[in-house]
Amino acid sequence: MRKLALSLLLAATCPALAGDGGDGWRLVWSDEFDTDGAPNEIVWNYEQGFVRNEEDQWYQPANARCKDGLLVIEARKERRPNPLYEAGSKDWRRSREYIDYTAASINTARKVEFLYGRLEVRARIPVGGGAWPAIWTLGSGLDWPSCGEIDVMECYPVEGEPSLLANAAWGSDRPYNAVWDSSHKPVADFVKADADWASKFHVWRMDWDESAIRLYVDGLLLNTVELKKTVNGKAEGQGVNPFTRPQYILLNLAIGGMNGGDIDDSMMPMKYEIDYVRVYQKKQ
C-alpha cells in the first residue's frame, strides 16, 4: 500500500484532485491535464525508442503534450535514421535503417501505483489505419507477464475489423508466455448505435477488488476477470497472483506492428486525446 500512500499525498497537496466520486467511491488521485506543456514529470515517465510488439513507431517525449485541458498523444509520419541500426541484425529494433513514424508512451511506474479501486479515463481514440491506442496497467517486481497486465482499453483490428479489447494477462510456466483472458467487441457495433461514436470522447473504467477485475466503456461491461484463476506459474511467476499487488498506469499510441494493422498515412498526424485519468478507492 506504500504506492497508494503516494497517490494520497499527491491528492492532499493538490486540493482540486481530492473529492467525492459518488456511488460510494472517493477520488484519491487524478491528472486533469489542465496545464499546457509537457505532462507532469512528478507523475509521468516516458518510454523511448522501439519498445515492443514490432511496432512501427519510435516513442519520444515530444509527441505527448498537454493543451487546452487535454493530453494529446500524436503519431506522426517522419523519417530519420534509426540510431540503433545494425546492418544484418536479427533484432527488429536494430534491423530497421530508418524511423518512419513517431508517437509517445507515458506511464506512472514508481510514481503512482495503486492496489484495488476504480480507474477511470475519458478519452477520444483514433480508429483504423494502423492505430493502436491503449489504456493499461502493469505490476512491478516481476518480468512480464508474471507482473500482470490489465488492458482497460486497446483498439486494433481483430480479423480485419477495428475492435475494442478488454484483457488481462498473467504468467505461465514458460518465460514471456502469457495466460490471457480477452474480450473484444467490433467498433462497428458501437457505430450502429451512434454514427458519430468514433469522433466522440468515451469513458473507460476498471473496477478492481479482491475478487475480480471488471472492464467497461461508457458503463457497458466488456469483460470480467475472476482473480481466483489469475495465479502465475511457479517456475517463472513464483506462483503469486499479480493482481493482488499494486499496478501502474500506461497511456500510449502505437502504430502498426503485430496488431495495429496496415498503416493509413492519410490519417497522419493521428491524435489520441485524453481528458483525464482518475483513481478512486471505496469509501470506508
Side-chain angles (χ1 to χ4, degrees), residues 116 207-214 224-230 241 243-244:
Y116 307 134
D207 287 351
W208 173 26
D209 60 26
E210 294 89 342
S211 63
I213 297 163
R214 295 175 177 86
T224 299
V225 182
E226 301 288 343
L227 264 61
K228 63 184 178 183
K229 70 179 184 182
T230 61
N241 191 328
F243 303 123
T244 62

Side-chain angles (χ1 to χ4, degrees), residues 70-141:
L70 299 174
L71 167 65
V72 182
I73 298 177
E74 187 173 83
R76 305 170 190 150
K77 182 174 175 59
E78 49 184 346
R79 172 170 267 219
R80 63 175 186 266
N82 175 9
L84 304 178
Y85 177 64
E86 294 178 4
S89 175
K90 295 182 179 180
D91 182 338
W92 67 273
R93 297 172 180 86
R94 300 179 180 277
S95 62
R96 300 173 175 180
E97 187 172 358
Y98 295 99
I99 296 164
D100 289 312
Y101 301 90
T102 61
S105 177
I106 63 174
N107 66 71
T108 66
R110 301 174 302 281
K111 294 179 176 179
V112 175
E113 303 182 5
F114 67 103
L115 174 62
Y116 307 134
R118 170 174 287 179
L119 171 65
E120 188 174 272
V121 179
R122 183 174 184 266
R124 177 161 55 191
I125 64 172
V127 175
W132 186 355
I135 302 162
W136 50 308
T137 71
L138 287 172
S140 302

Side-chain angles (χ1 to χ4, degrees), residues 37-53:
N40 185 353
E41 65 180 12
I42 296 175
V43 175
W44 298 103
N45 310 296
Y46 296 94
E47 292 192 286
Q48 300 265 7
F50 293 129
V51 178
R52 62 178 69 85
N53 299 324

Side-chain angles (χ1 to χ4, degrees), residues 75 77 101 128-129 262-270:
K77 182 174 175 59
Y101 301 90
D262 294 336
I263 302 169
D264 181 357
D265 285 346
S266 70
M267 292 182 65
M268 299 294 169
M270 187 185 293

Side-chain angles (χ1 to χ4, degrees), residues 13 48 74 77 147-148 158 176 212 217 248 261 267 278-279 282:
T13 56
Q48 300 265 7
E74 187 173 83
K77 182 174 175 59
C147 62
V158 176
Y176 307 110
V217 60
Y248 63 89
M267 292 182 65
R278 297 173 180 168
V279 177
K282 277 287 189 180

